[in-house]
Amino acid sequence: MNLNFLDFERPIAELEDKIEELRRVGVDTELNLFEEIQRLEHKSKELTRHIFASLTPAQTVQMARHPLRPNFVDYVANIFTDFVELQGDRHFSKGFTIMGGPARLNGVPVMAIGIQKGRSTKEKVERNFGMPKPEDYRKALRLMEMAERFKLPIITLVDTPGAYPGIDAEARNQSEAIARNLFVMSQLKTPIISVITGEGGSGGALAIAVGDRVLMLQYSIYSVISPEGCASILWKNPEKASDAAAAMGVTADRLNQLGLNDKVVQEPLGGAHRDPVKMAETLRNTLYTELTELKKLSLPELLERRYKRLLKHHPVPA
Amino acid sequence: MSWLQKIFPTKVKVEASSKKGVPEGVWSKCEGCKAVLYRVELERNLEVCPKCGHHQRLGGRAYLHAFLDKDQEKIEIGAQIKPVDLLHFRDSKKYKDRLTAAQKATGEIEALIVLKGTVYKMPLVAAAFDFRFIGGSMGAALGERFVLGVETCINERLPFVCFCASGGARMQEGLVSLMQMAKTSAALAKLSAQGLPFISVLMDPTMGGVSASLAMLGDVIIAEPKALIGFAGPRVIEQTVRETLPEGFQRSEFLLEHGAIDMIVDRRELRMTIASLLSKFLGKNEPVVEEVV
């Protein structure tokens, strides 16, 4: 069976296998299986629609972490033009996990910043599995401050299990790197749009996701702690991760209901990885619309709205 | 009934068992040097062991009362802000029950207490975490109280001081708790833009979302001796890197050496240290010592 299908997609995978087999037989025997294949393809689509209509939070977590999910480099290629990568935090390192640089969105100059998880094993190791270190956050901050100077709107694409929990990261003050970004981003004099494209892992995600608009892809997740981490602390059992995912409300739709993201961006049927080009196109159009809206605001209005947006998460009076 | 019980009537036995221990709370054992200490003396010493200087945990309100001038008026800010169980969260226990238990145990409504008062007659707003309250974790109500404190400073042009002791974000409030990091940081950015000082004091422990937001944003960051301070918990790091952590890792002394904090100050000297800093930042005269610390 195709390993790129998740466990809950098994019926779809089986159907797809059958279609594949029929195609092969068709080529060998010159039998006309065209109609049968078409019927099965239709059935597969219906089945996909059916399964994806009611994903559990835990299944959405799997989708957000899908090994084929488009990553920052894919999005850069399909959303922006003329991207020029800039590197280094100017103090310690090139910064391997967070990438960024000026690019054009439908011709408009912007600063694109994102977290790259890596595709091949080699790249994953090099990218530290998408877990940024302090130098990554400081590099992102350098680029964001540059964007402010040159009046470039900032677009950040977020996909991380979380900030790197390592000895070196702590020694270089991971906490401060994250805190500083939150502090500066809240007052940065240029529009900021953040998109959670895959995993929005806690403070490590928030550190580049303080924006005027925060969007989430349909099958992305955003949480204060990974469901596994939450389960092992509160349930004392990491196997309760699916309960934790449900209890915390990590999915784009649920968080939208709670007022914790501004918009859910629909994904192609079966998820972004089934049609990365279409996904990127949808995202490009959405980003352009959002940006056009934000550009209508004066700078004081923009900052006032951002501050209010950041401050609104207070308890409902009992 | 055995023959022994017949010889010793029940009444006598009850009395004997009640005599067994000293009345509770008279003595306390130092977590550092294991010395047995007289409770009243330890309290007078702000929970710092007089023998070895070990800093035991001190409740938020007790901390503020020790920090602020005793004879001056104190006004609580945000006392009306109560935690809300937005998600109806339930793990092995209901969040609601955890809140009730924490409220009962501490006598507080939330893990952060914010008071406006004076230090050496210098008016300021001071906030303190209470670690006993669900690990001093930061949820929506806590964030709101913090911001109200900061906004009071902005409106009345006062400096802000915060004493942190927290395990991080309050998971039971889901993503709302994460957003408190952005919220508190945004308020501090505004305070900073107004040219008003923020002094952050880190107690044991200051971790996770609190460490990675308000705690590390002080103009001056002071830590108590040997406090555990960091982003990721030591256990998580150990599991990730599969290495034994170096001696003293993530302790105040480690942070000082790595340039993360300005200084380590004994709890009993904090009042003076902070007053001395603030008086200079605010262009005021040297604080006059009128009391015996």
Side-chain angles (χ1 to χ4, degrees):
Chain A
M1 205 178 80
N2 192 333
L3 291 174
N4 291 323
F5 283 94
L6 299 169
D7 49 1
F8 63 87
E9 293 178 295
R10 184 177 293 263
I12 308 168
E14 282 167 3
L15 211 51
E16 289 291 326
D17 279 353
K18 212 164 166 186
I19 295 169
E20 197 52 40
E21 208 170 296
L22 281 180
R23 279 211 182 100
R24 241 179 289 133
V25 174
V27 171
D28 290 350
T29 62
E30 292 178 16
L31 276 171
N32 193 358
L33 297 170
F34 183 71
E35 274 181 27
E36 176 65 2
I37 290 172
Q38 228 179 11
R39 195 184 63 80
L40 287 179
E41 275 177 343
H42 180 74
K43 199 175 159 190
S44 166
K45 221 174 219 176
E46 281 306 307
L47 192 62
T48 310
R49 202 163 285 145
H50 177 74
I51 288 175
F52 277 83
S54 55
L55 291 190
T56 65
Q59 288 166 340
T60 309
V61 172
Q62 284 178 282
M63 287 297 292
R65 294 173 178 164
H66 199 291
L68 291 182
R69 200 158 174 83
N71 56 34
F72 181 67
V73 170
D74 300 325
Y75 284 122
V76 164
N78 292 314
I79 291 178
F80 305 107
T81 52
D82 197 17
F83 173 72
V84 183
E85 189 183 1
L86 302 179
Q87 302 180 85
D89 69 344
R90 295 292 187 269
H91 296 285
F92 178 77
S93 160
K94 167 183 154 177
F96 291 88
T97 310
I98 295 185
M99 298 173 74
R104 285 178 190 274
L105 175 74
N106 289 352
V108 180
V110 297
M111 182 65 81
I113 297 169
I115 302 172
Q116 174 71 1
K117 268 187 182 171
R119 184 76 69 207
S120 66
T121 308
K122 187 171 168 261
E123 201 207 351
K124 278 182 190 154
V125 172
E126 194 182 287
R127 301 283 181 198
N128 203 28
F129 299 89
M131 294 182 285
K133 295 187 176 183
E135 48 271 28
D136 286 295
Y137 293 118
R138 288 173 184 142
K139 166 183 164 184
L141 187 63
R142 180 174 81 85
L143 299 185
M144 291 191 280
E145 287 176 331
M146 187 191 297
E148 180 185 49
R149 269 196 308 282
F150 302 130
K151 301 191 168 49
L152 304 177
I154 298 165
I155 292 170
T156 68
L157 303 184
V158 184
D159 183 17
T160 176
Y164 182 59
I167 296 175
D168 54 340
E170 293 291 326
R172 291 195 292 279
N173 210 351
Q174 185 73 284
S175 288
E176 193 272 346
I178 295 171
R180 187 63 49 196
N181 281 17
L182 307 179
F183 184 88
V184 175
M185 288 179 89
S186 73
Q187 298 218 330
L188 218 51
K189 295 182 190 68
T190 189
I192 307 171
I193 304 175
S194 294
V195 188
I196 313 292
T197 59
E199 281 183 276
S202 190
L206 183 66
I208 59 160
V210 176
D212 299 297
R213 299 285 284 168
V214 176
L215 321 179
M216 284 181 74
L217 297 194
Q218 192 179 4
Y219 303 124
S220 68
I221 57 164
Y222 198 2
S223 62
V224 60
I225 182 172
S226 73
E228 291 77 8
C230 179
S232 66
I233 295 171
L234 292 182
W235 277 263
K236 316 260 180 248
N237 179 3
E239 278 162 25
K240 294 276 185 189
S242 53
D243 291 347
M248 286 193 293
V250 301
T251 65
D253 285 329
R254 177 81 177 112
L255 293 171
N256 191 262
Q257 288 163 6
L258 293 168
L260 291 160
N261 66 48
D262 300 295
K263 187 178 206 138
V264 179
V265 183
Q266 295 301 304
E267 295 191 21
L269 182 62
H273 63 283
R274 297 290 183 89
D275 196 345
V277 175
K278 191 178 164 198
M279 181 73 256
E281 199 184 302
T282 312
L283 192 51
R284 193 201 316 125
N285 293 336
T286 311
L287 285 171
Y288 190 72
T289 314
E290 296 285 343
L291 192 57
T292 312
E293 282 302 307
L294 286 177
K295 278 187 156 178
K296 287 179 190 161
L297 301 170
S298 71
L299 207 51
E301 274 173 343
L302 181 82
L303 294 180
E304 183 59 30
R305 268 187 30 168
R306 187 186 303 158
Y307 188 70
K308 279 200 178 130
R309 187 187 177 284
L310 293 171
L311 255 65
K312 78 178 179 193
H313 303 298
H314 60 79
V316 193
Chain B
M1 201 181 266
S2 75
W3 63 272
L4 235 172
Q5 279 170 313
K6 276 179 199 157
I7 295 172
F8 298 105
T10 338
K11 204 179 148 205
V12 178
K13 250 174 55 183
V14 170
E15 278 175 351
S17 70
S18 74
K19 263 187 199 166
K20 213 162 55 187
V22 256
E24 217 178 292
V26 171
W27 298 96
S28 198
K29 199 175 192 178
C30 169
E31 287 157 27
C33 66
K34 309 285 174 220
V36 177
L37 306 165
Y38 188 39
R39 186 73 245 161
V40 177
E41 196 193 342
L42 193 57
E43 264 165 38
R44 212 182 296 128
N45 221 20
L46 307 179
E47 301 291 324
V48 178
C49 172
K51 298 232 160 57
C52 73
H54 177 79
H55 284 52
Q56 327 232 36
R57 288 199 181 121
L58 181 58
R61 197 171 292 270
Y63 211 116
L64 290 179
H65 279 274
F67 175 66
L68 296 169
D69 290 337
K70 288 196 172 39
D71 50 349
Q72 303 286 317
E73 193 193 11
K74 296 170 194 70
I75 300 166
E76 182 155 5
I77 297 168
Q80 75 283 7
I81 309 289
K82 297 173 181 143
V84 172
D85 180 17
L86 188 69
L87 297 173
H88 305 291
F89 195 95
R90 182 189 190 138
D91 47 83
S92 53
K93 268 188 210 162
K94 279 187 194 164
Y95 175 39
K96 238 177 154 177
D97 296 343
R98 283 187 198 266
L99 281 174
T100 314
Q103 285 163 345
K104 241 186 214 157
T106 59
E108 301 292 348
I109 297 166
E110 235 320 337
L112 187 81
I113 299 106
V114 186
L115 296 181
K116 189 172 112 177
T118 58
V119 171
Y120 292 101
K121 305 232 167 76
M122 229 183 320
L124 49 74
V125 175
F129 282 75
D130 199 317
F131 189 76
R132 299 166 303 165
F133 196 107
I134 320 188
S137 55
M138 178 160 70
L142 193 152
E144 181 72 6
R145 283 181 173 204
F146 186 90
V147 168
L148 288 176
V150 174
E151 285 183 336
T152 305
C153 289
I154 295 172
N155 294 336
E156 302 179 25
R157 297 209 59 80
L158 300 175
F160 187 64
V161 181
C162 182
F163 302 92
C164 304
S166 171
R170 192 172 294 166
M171 288 172 280
Q172 291 91 342
E173 292 188 19
L175 199 65
V176 170
S177 69
L178 188 74
M179 294 306 152
Q180 304 312 311
M181 291 172 67
K183 176 170 172 165
T184 54
S185 302
L188 288 172
K190 210 161 203 187
L191 182 81
S192 180
Q194 296 285 320
L196 294 166
F198 167 42
I199 295 184
S200 177
V201 180
L202 314 182
M203 304 188 277
D204 182 63
T206 300
M207 303 299 292
V210 170
S211 167
S213 61
L214 59 100
M216 282 295 168
L217 292 173
D219 291 297
V220 176
I221 306 177
I222 304 172
E224 288 193 345
K226 296 193 180 77
L228 185 74
I229 302 158
F231 176 65
R235 246 184 316 151
V236 176
I237 297 174
E238 232 160 13
Q239 282 163 10
T240 311
V241 300
R242 297 182 196 288
E243 272 177 66
T244 330
L245 302 177
E247 177 82 18
F249 180 63
Q250 291 185 319
R251 294 285 166 186
S252 306
E253 296 71 17
F254 175 91
L255 269 85
L256 183 68
E257 199 177 308
H258 285 81
I261 58 174
D262 290 282
M263 59 187 111
I264 298 171
V265 177
D266 187 297
R267 188 179 289 160
R268 293 163 292 187
E269 283 153 24
L270 263 178
R271 234 175 91 79
M272 192 60 216
T273 307
I274 292 176
S276 151
L277 283 167
L278 288 180
S279 68
K280 293 184 202 65
F281 292 165
L282 299 169
K284 293 188 176 174
N285 291 335
E286 258 178 79
V288 182
V289 188
E290 294 165 336
E291 58 197 302
V292 186
V293 180

